[in-house]
Each structure stands twice: as C-alpha cells, then as structure tokens.
Amino acid sequence: MANVVKILGIDISKSKFDVCISSSTSAYRHEVYSYDLPSMCRFVSQLDSRCHCVMEATGVYHLPLAFYLHDRGIRVSVVNPLSVKNFSRATMCRTKTDKSDARLLVEYARRMDSPAWTPPAKHYIRIQQMYRYMEHLQRELTAIHNQMEAIAFSPVYDAGMLSMMRRLCGCIQRQIDKIQLRISTLLTDADAQAVERIVSVPGVGRKTAIALLTATKGLDGFSSYRKLSSYLGLAPRTFLSGTSVKGKAHICKMGMGWIRKLLYLCAVSASRCNPICRPLYLRLRQKGKPPKLALIAVANKILKIICAINYKKQLFNPDFI
C-alpha cells in the first residue's frame, strides 16, 4: 500500500458498477459505468499502477472486471462480503445504496488489510461451473427416481408416463457421464497427479478430490491445514463468555457448504475403512462425543492428511510417522 495514491471502491451489480474514487489530495468522487467492455475500457483508461481497486466477491459478477483490471496491471482486491458487512456495522453505517457501498469499500481498504487478488486458473473456473451443473443434474435425477418409485407403488398409474420418465433419466445420466469425462480432460498433469495422491487416502473418492482441488485452486496458498479448514468452514467455533454463557462448540460454517458436504460423506466412509481415522472416531465415541462431532473431527483429520501428502508429493502411507 506504500505506493498507492488513489483507492477506488467498486460496487458491482449485473448491469452497472459504481465507483468511489479517493486520493490524498481530493475528496470523494463518484462515477457510474455500464457493465460492458467499452465502459470498462473508459474506466481503466484513467487508472495507473498506483491505483488500488477494491470490490466485493459477488458470485460471478465481479470476475469480468477483476480479470480486466488484473490483466492491465492494476492492483485489485476482492474482499469477503461478510467482512465488509461487519465493518459497516462496526462503523454504524445506516445507509445502504450502491453509492454508499462503494464509499464503504474505500474506508474498508484504508483500515483493513486488503491483499492483491490473484485470479484462479481458468480451467478451475470451468471445472467448477461443470461440477455445479452436474450437481444440479444429479439432484434432478434423484427427484425423478423418487417420483417414479412413488408412482409405481400406486395401484393405478400410467405406464407410458413411467416410460417417458425412464428415458429422461437415461438422458440425464448420459449428460452427467459426458460432464465427468469433460472434467477429466480439463485437468492438467499436475492436477491429475494431485488427484491420484488424494484418492490414495482411504475414504476419499475422485469426485471429492477434483472438487477440493477446484475449490482451493490446486491447494495453493495454504501454509497449514488449519488455514484450509478455516477456509472451508470446518474450523471449530467456541462460544464462551464469563461464567454464565457456555454454548456448545460448533464449526464456523463460513466456507463452502458443498465441499463440507463431500468431506462429511468422506468422513463417514473413512471412519470405517481408514486405518488412521477409524481409531480417532472410535476414541471420540468412547468419550461420549456425539457421532456428528466425531465425524467432523475425522473430516479435519482427512484435510490434515491431504495437506501433508500434497506437500510431500507422495501417496498415502498409513505407517508414516
């Protein structure tokens, strides 16, 4: 931040983005641009390497402008919306408009650490899009199967309708198979090797391995498994205050729910077949811990093992000390 002269807070919506410009020599200035390529060109033309653009992560809407700024050498930070929301509460902000949100991002960047954003590899974005679409298809397939079972249980039903539903299930399953094949072709050699290391952990399947790599951008940027656990929302959250408030400990759930769901299912499997995780699960159950708590501990143990074998570039070894 030492070389930064101008801070720009950018509030992004689907059709436009509001910019609040602040520098050491001038007051706030607000500008509004249409969210299209000519407007982004006009906006970037007034920037230089001493500018720092700050925006919230808004699903996919922030990605076009974030990539455009990064490719042109402009420092850009993509911050967590929850952090900005809590910062707004701490500053007693009472206004909620696009203009005020852009200004709030400027104040956030001045007072809080806003590291430079590094774009994820484009094939990770494509894989994540395919994975979520595949999850949608699988939910649809499950719903149709359940409906078919309910209809077939009835003493009166239309056989032609069941035939159409079976054909629809076959079509959806073929689409899922094509997506899985496409995801395999998008993986780089380094990704494929990482997947093989992860699936060597008993209880972890290929689907979870690819999803974990995609969500964490190849497991890069995590110096310890604790940071990875916190990023995915599996870190424990203690709720204690004084002598009267003694709430139950829960996981923070401030991460990616779809990855936590997969890791939980892996923990169920690992608690039965993994030679390291099963003793942990049994020990916690013998101490009277609830099954879900024990499985969350197993999921964190799986993350710890994955981080270790990824760092050492070797397959899982149950006898490793």
Side-chain angles (χ1 to χ4, degrees), residues 177-197:
D177 295 339
K178 288 180 181 179
I179 293 173
Q180 291 176 337
L181 180 61
R182 180 61 179 162
I183 289 175
S184 299
T185 60
L186 287 175
L187 293 175
T188 63
D189 292 339
D191 293 331
Q193 294 174 6
V195 168
E196 294 304 319
R197 289 193 293 268

Side-chain angles (χ1 to χ4, degrees), residues 23-126:
S23 65
S24 57
T25 58
S26 64
Y28 293 105
R29 187 172 83 254
H30 296 272
E31 298 176 355
V32 181
Y33 296 88
S34 299
Y35 206 172
D36 51 36
L37 185 58
S39 297
M40 287 194 293
C41 292
R42 189 169 67 255
F43 168 62
V44 174
S45 64
Q46 60 179 322
L47 306 182
D48 54 38
S49 59
R50 296 178 299 174
C51 295
H52 180 198
C53 296
V54 185
M55 64 184 69
E56 289 180 312
T58 54
V60 297
Y61 291 125
H62 71 282
L63 288 178
L65 183 58
F67 269 102
Y68 193 82
L69 292 170
H70 182 272
D71 292 342
R72 282 149 185 81
I74 306 299
R75 178 187 171 95
V76 56
S77 295
V78 179
V79 297
N80 191 325
L82 182 60
S83 299
V84 179
K85 182 179 181 179
N86 291 333
F87 178 80
S88 174
R89 291 177 175 176
T91 56
M92 302 292 288
C93 182
R94 296 174 176 84
T95 306
K96 181 70 174 71
T97 63
D98 294 341
K99 182 178 178 179
S100 65
D101 287 347
R103 179 167 178 171
L104 181 67
L105 287 169
V106 173
E107 295 299 329
Y108 179 89
R110 283 178 172 174
R111 303 183 191 182
M112 308 296 290
D113 182 31
S114 303
W117 176 73
T118 302
K122 293 183 179 180
H123 73 283
Y124 284 141
I125 298 178
R126 296 167 65 185

Side-chain angles (χ1 to χ4, degrees), residues 86-245:
N86 291 333
F87 178 80
S88 174
R89 291 177 175 176
T91 56
M92 302 292 288
C93 182
R94 296 174 176 84
T95 306
K96 181 70 174 71
T97 63
D98 294 341
K99 182 178 178 179
S100 65
D101 287 347
R103 179 167 178 171
L104 181 67
L105 287 169
V106 173
E107 295 299 329
Y108 179 89
R110 283 178 172 174
R111 303 183 191 182
M112 308 296 290
D113 182 31
S114 303
W117 176 73
T118 302
K122 293 183 179 180
H123 73 283
Y124 284 141
I125 298 178
R126 296 167 65 185
I127 290 175
Q128 189 167 356
Q129 292 168 349
M130 292 181 183
Y131 184 87
R132 290 184 174 177
Y133 178 57
M134 184 174 64
E135 286 288 294
H136 171 73
L137 291 178
Q138 288 175 335
R139 287 194 297 269
E140 291 291 330
L141 187 62
T142 301
I144 296 174
H145 277 303
N146 292 339
Q147 191 174 10
M148 289 173 57
E149 183 178 354
I151 292 173
F153 191 77
S154 173
V156 180
Y157 61 86
D158 190 296
M161 184 182 64
L162 279 181
S163 178
M164 288 188 293
M165 295 175 73
R166 292 191 188 96
R167 289 197 297 269
L168 179 59
C169 289
C171 180
I172 294 175
Q173 186 60 54
R174 287 192 294 272
Q175 291 293 322
I176 292 174
D177 295 339
K178 288 180 181 179
I179 293 173
Q180 291 176 337
L181 180 61
R182 180 61 179 162
I183 289 175
S184 299
T185 60
L186 287 175
L187 293 175
T188 63
D189 292 339
D191 293 331
Q193 294 174 6
V195 168
E196 294 304 319
R197 289 193 293 268
I198 294 174
V199 298
S200 68
V201 180
V204 182
R206 184 175 180 84
K207 178 181 176 181
T208 302
I210 296 175
L212 185 61
L213 282 178
T214 303
T216 60
K217 304 173 182 62
L219 290 173
D220 294 332
F222 298 97
S223 57
S224 68
Y225 86 93
R226 290 184 177 87
K227 291 185 177 180
L228 178 59
S229 177
S230 178
Y231 178 75
L232 298 178
L234 280 171
R237 179 177 181 269
T238 306
F239 193 76
L240 298 174
S241 180
T243 58
S244 59
V245 179

